[in-house]
Amino acid sequence: MATLPDAKLTIDGVLRDAQGGKTFDVISPWTGQPVGKAADASAADVDEAIAAARHAFDTTDWSTNVEKRVDLVTKLRALFEANRERLSDLARDEAGAAMGAVGRAHVDMALDGWDDYLRLFPQLKWDKDYGGRTGYDFETQRKAVYEPVGVVGAITPWNVPLYVNVGKVVAALLAGCTVILKPAPNTPGMGAIFGELAQEAGFPAGVLNVIFGSDPALAGEMLVTDPRVDLISFTGSTNVGKRIMEQGAATLKRVFLELGGKSAKIILEDSANFAMDVAQSMLVFHAGQGCAVHSRLLVPRSRYEEAKAVLKHAYASFGDNWGDYDNPAHIMGPVVSQRQMERVLSYIDIGQAEGATLLAGGKARPDKGSGYFIEPTCFVDVTNDMRIAQEEIFGPVLVVIPFEDDDDAVRIANESDYGLCGGVYSADLDRAIAVARRIRTGSVSVNGGMCIAGDLPFGGYKASGIGREWGLEGIEEFLETKLIAWRA
C-alpha cells in the first residue's frame, strides 16, 4: 500500500493548501493508519470557493457557451482515463474497496457513466415551442427556454466516491452550472483529483472548485445556507438530507437528495433458479456499503427452510475469501472507518436482542488486520418491524424475511420509510413485472436486470430522496425553465 499524494483544494483555478497550511490525516480502512494528508479547509476557504463559483457563473460565458463546455468536459474525461491506476489506488486506500470491486463499482462504472452523459447530452432540449394562443382579442406566441440553474454545491459520500462525484459534477458542468464539490472527509483525494485535472484540461477559473476538511459539517452547512449557491445536490444519509432541506429553506434553496435505502429483493416461489437466486443474495460486495443494495431478502414461507439452508451453505462456502488487500478475486474489504464498524456491530447486537437468529457472521475480525473488518453477516427469523429490517445498516448484514403470497411480499417491501431500489425474481416474467410495478421504489431489477446505469435516471421514493441523477434527467436537474411570450 503506497502513500497517497496530498489532497489539495481547488479554489478559483488554483490548486492550493488550506489557509494557514492546516491538514488532516486520511485514514486507510485496511490498516486504521494514515495513508496520506489532505488540506483542512477553513470557513474562509469555503467562502472563497463560493465567491469564485458565483463570479465565474455571473461574469463568464460558461453558462452560454455549450461547445466550450463539451470540449472541456471531454478533455477532462480523457485525463481521467489516463489516471485510471491512480483512481483505483484512491478507491482502495480511501474507500476500502477490494481489488475485485475496484473496476466494476468504483472506476469502470463511473467512467462509463461519464461517457453516457456525453453521448446523451446532444439530445438535451434547450427550448420548447408552445405555439400561439389567442386571448384578450390578440394572439400570443409562447416559448420555453431552459437555462442552467447557477452555482451548484455538490456534497458527496465516501462509499463509491468517484461514481457519485461524476454523477453530480459532470451533469452540472454540461448543463452550464459552476460547481463547488465537497467530498466526504474520508475520501478527499477522489475529490481533489477533479480540481487538479480540471486545471490541466484548461477549465476557466472558478468553474470547478473543490473543498474538503476534517469537519464533516462545516463546508456543507456553508454551502446549504449561502444565498450565492443556487442548488444543492447531496448524496448521503436521510437524516442529513432532512437537515439540508431545513437549512436550505431560508434561501429557498433548490435541492436534489439521493438518500438512504433498505431495499427488498423478492424471490417468488416459482423462481427457476431458486437456490442460485438465494445464494447470490449474500451482502458482501464492498462490505454492503451501498445505498441501493438489497439488504432485505424476502422469500416465500413455503420455501423458507430451503432458503435458510442455501444461505448457510453459501456463507460457509464464501468463508474467508474476503479482506485480502492484494487478492484480485476478493470483492469485500473492510468498512470505511472505526465509526462505521462500531455502528454496524451495534446493529448486529440489536438484531440478536430483537430475537432474530444469527445464521452467519456477526463479529469483527481483527485477525484480518488492524483496519475495520466485519465478517459477512446474515440474520434469519426476522420480522419486518425489527430495527434491523427497517433501519439502514450500511454494512455486510443481510436480513431474511418470509412472506405468504405476492400481496404479502409487496406489503412487506413497501412497509419501509425508504424506496430506492428493489428486485423481483420469478419464472413468470409478467408476474414479476406486475409485482415490480407495485413496489414503491425508484428502481427495480427483475430477474437480475441491470436497473442502475449511466444512461438511466436514478433516485428514490419517500425517505430515499428527491429528484433523479444520471441519464438525461440527471442533466435536466440542473436547468431552470423560463417561459417567454410575445404578442404576435
Side-chain angles (χ1 to χ4, degrees):
M1 185 182 304
T3 300
L4 295 173
D6 289 351
K8 294 184 179 291
L9 311 176
T10 298
I11 299 175
D12 204 17
V14 178
L15 191 70
R16 65 170 178 81
D17 296 328
Q19 289 191 17
K22 189 177 179 183
T23 63
F24 66 97
D25 288 333
V26 180
I27 303 300
S28 166
W30 296 90
T31 65
Q33 300 299 314
V35 74
K37 288 190 176 295
D40 196 353
S42 66
D45 292 317
V46 179
D47 184 72
E48 283 187 34
I50 296 171
R54 186 76 262 168
H55 184 265
F57 185 81
D58 292 340
T59 66
T60 74
D61 68 346
W62 183 257
S63 66
T64 56
N65 194 331
V66 176
E67 183 178 353
K68 177 180 182 178
R69 298 201 302 266
V70 172
D71 178 61
L72 286 172
V73 170
T74 303
K75 286 181 179 178
L76 187 59
R77 169 65 179 86
L79 289 172
F80 269 76
E81 184 67 35
N83 282 271
R84 269 184 181 268
E85 185 175 349
R86 182 176 166 193
L87 295 170
S88 295
D89 288 344
L90 286 165
R92 295 177 70 199
D93 295 332
E94 287 191 336
M99 281 188 73
V102 166
R104 277 183 284 171
H106 290 268
V107 178
D108 293 349
M109 196 169 180
L111 298 185
D112 288 348
W114 194 322
D115 293 337
D116 284 326
Y117 272 149
L118 287 170
R119 179 175 55 82
L120 292 170
F121 184 70
Q123 301 176 27
L124 196 68
K125 303 297 183 186
W126 294 101
D127 56 57
K128 180 180 179 180
D129 186 4
Y130 282 87
R133 181 165 179 168
T134 301
Y136 301 100
D137 299 323
F138 62 85
E139 184 177 352
T140 298
Q141 294 293 325
R142 294 88 48 82
K143 178 181 182 179
V145 294
Y146 305 108
E147 302 174 342
V149 70
V151 175
V152 170
I155 305 173
T156 60
W158 44 257
N159 60 326
V160 281
L162 179 61
Y163 182 73
V164 182
N165 290 347
V166 168
K168 298 183 187 306
V169 171
V170 174
L173 292 174
L174 286 173
C177 297
T178 57
V179 178
I180 304 119
L181 171 63
K182 188 267 174 194
N186 306 79
T187 53
M190 200 64 95
I193 195 171
F194 275 80
E196 176 188 333
L197 297 183
Q199 301 321 301
E200 188 175 338
F203 272 66
V207 166
L208 177 54
N209 307 273
V210 184
I211 54 171
F212 38 78
S214 58
D215 185 333
L218 176 96
E221 292 194 354
M222 287 184 67
L223 292 172
V224 171
T225 57
D226 196 303
R228 294 171 294 178
V229 178
D230 300 294
L231 182 149
I232 293 292
S233 181
F234 169 77
T235 295
S237 73
T238 295
N239 285 338
V240 176
K242 290 177 179 178
R243 182 170 174 83
I244 285 172
M245 288 197 73
E246 291 171 359
Q247 290 187 319
T251 57
L252 293 177
K253 192 88 66 198
R254 187 163 154 189
V255 295
F256 162 72
L257 304 172
E258 195 271 282
L259 307 175
K262 195 70 179 179
S263 301
K265 176 180 178 179
I266 300 171
I267 303 178
L268 301 176
E269 84 287 341
D270 68 346
S271 167
N273 303 292
F274 185 82
M276 182 178 70
D277 292 340
V278 170
Q280 291 180 345
S281 304
M282 289 190 303
L283 196 54
V284 293
F285 193 87
H286 195 35
Q289 296 172 116
C291 54
V293 299
H294 297 158
S295 54
R296 288 185 295 160
L297 174 61
L298 277 54
V299 295
R301 189 175 297 279
S302 61
R303 304 188 72 172
Y304 195 59
E305 294 304 317
E306 179 185 352
K308 288 197 286 187
V310 168
L311 285 167
K312 191 172 185 64
H313 180 265
Y315 276 93
S317 298
F318 192 73
D320 270 350
N321 295 313
W322 63 280
D324 185 341
Y325 181 84
D326 293 316
N327 194 324
H330 284 194
I331 60 173
M332 175 173 164
V335 296
V336 76
S337 65
Q338 177 74 30
R339 177 182 178 185
Q340 189 63 17
M341 182 170 73
E342 292 171 355
R343 170 185 167 84
V344 175
L345 290 173
S346 74
Y347 272 105
I348 293 171
D349 290 341
I350 289 167
Q352 293 177 89
E354 288 180 314
T357 301
L358 193 60
L359 184 77
K363 300 188 295 296
R365 289 291 299 274
D367 58 300
K368 291 284 184 181
S370 56
Y372 313 118
F373 298 95
I374 302 173
E375 58 191 357
T377 299
C378 178
F379 280 104
V380 295
D381 304 323
V382 177
T383 57
N384 201 46
D385 59 349
M386 293 180 179
R387 286 183 62 188
I388 58 170
Q390 287 295 315
E391 298 177 17
E392 185 177 41
I393 298 173
F394 223 69
V397 182
L398 178 71
V399 301
V400 189
I401 305 171
F403 64 84
E404 302 296 339
D405 53 23
D406 292 10
D407 289 343
D408 195 38
V410 170
R411 176 191 64 78
I412 293 169
N414 287 339
E415 283 184 355
S416 171
D417 291 338
Y418 298 107
L420 189 57
C421 199
V424 183
Y425 289 72
S426 171
D428 184 337
L429 181 60
D430 290 340
R431 179 187 180 191
I433 291 176
V435 170
R437 289 180 66 90
R438 295 172 64 192
I439 302 173
R440 289 188 51 76
T441 190
S443 300
V444 187
S445 168
V446 172
N447 291 335
M450 188 63 181
C451 62
I452 299 174
D455 62 339
L456 300 175
F458 176 74
Y461 288 21
K462 301 185 286 185
S464 287
I466 298 170
R468 291 296 179 268
E469 200 157 63
W470 297 107
L472 202 59
E473 293 87 345
I475 304 174
E476 291 170 343
E477 286 285 349
F478 297 99
L479 299 177
E480 291 277 22
T481 301
K482 176 185 290 181
L483 195 288
I484 302 173
W486 62 96
R487 190 166 176 169

